[in-house]
Amino acid sequence: MNKIAIISDIHGNIPALNAVINDIRKKKIDNIICLGDLAGKGPNPAEAVDIIRRECKEVLMGNWDIMISGENDYEMVKWARENMGEERLDYIKNLPFSLDFYMSGRFVRLFHASPQGVFHRVHRNSPLDMILGMFDNTENTGKAFGEQSPDIVGYGDIHGAYISYFDNKIIFNVGSVGNPLDMTLASYVILEGEYNGRDKKGFQVNFIRVPYDVELAIKLAKESNMPEIDAYIQELRTGIYRGRK
Ligand SMILES: [Mn+2]
């Protein structure tokens, strides 16, 4: 059996990222895969990119990675861009969209938000046609295994972990390492099964929550001159999205 850790949405929060990586090291994990949003929202964009590049076997593209490495001039995006350096910007600009592999006889696909694009947001309570669309092959995903569509889809983007089973399919969200908006602990998932295995065997999708030093993360934010710091602090302390009505 193989174990793969899937992390996402670091958003420049180094205490949370270090806590998750230490937790992963303690378990016998073969590889780490990151589903994007390395920087933005939090105070340490460059450090987050450096750690992710060093620790992860595969890193996929998130919406913030496109915004920061592109033309978007939203204040937080500009600040992250200016604190990252050209070489790292070039790295996040060229991240792949999705990753396909077999595990224990199931076609697993991972991406940041949806097959329709990194800005196409799908929540656990989204309409059924949007949920079913998460299993589509698109121009973005390509077709790794001919006309087959995935049996298991894993994604990030919404900063809220969940799993749902239907029609012999599984969809799960790994939650966020650095900006969790479901509870205040860092989130990630471990997939366990036979990597590249085509025979149907047992497998596991395990959800892990890791405590980290939230007040240290807030201290680092205060020491930086990042914009929107009050909203960021409130999200780290409460796990509630700043825009929630
Ligand atoms: Mn994100």
Side-chain angles (χ1 to χ4, degrees), residues 178-199:
N179 182 221
L181 296 173
D182 48 5
M183 65 189 302
T184 55
L185 277 65
S187 182
Y188 75 100
V189 159
I190 297 172
L191 276 186
E192 186 170 355
E194 191 185 9
Y195 182 72
N196 281 336
R198 294 297 186 114
D199 298 332

Side-chain angles (χ1 to χ4, degrees), residues 102-121:
Y102 262 81
M103 189 168 233
S104 292
R106 273 93 185 170
F107 173 2
V108 179
R109 174 172 287 159
L110 306 174
F111 45 66
H112 183 70
S114 98
Q116 283 69 41
V118 294
F119 294 98
H120 184 255
R121 188 156 289 162

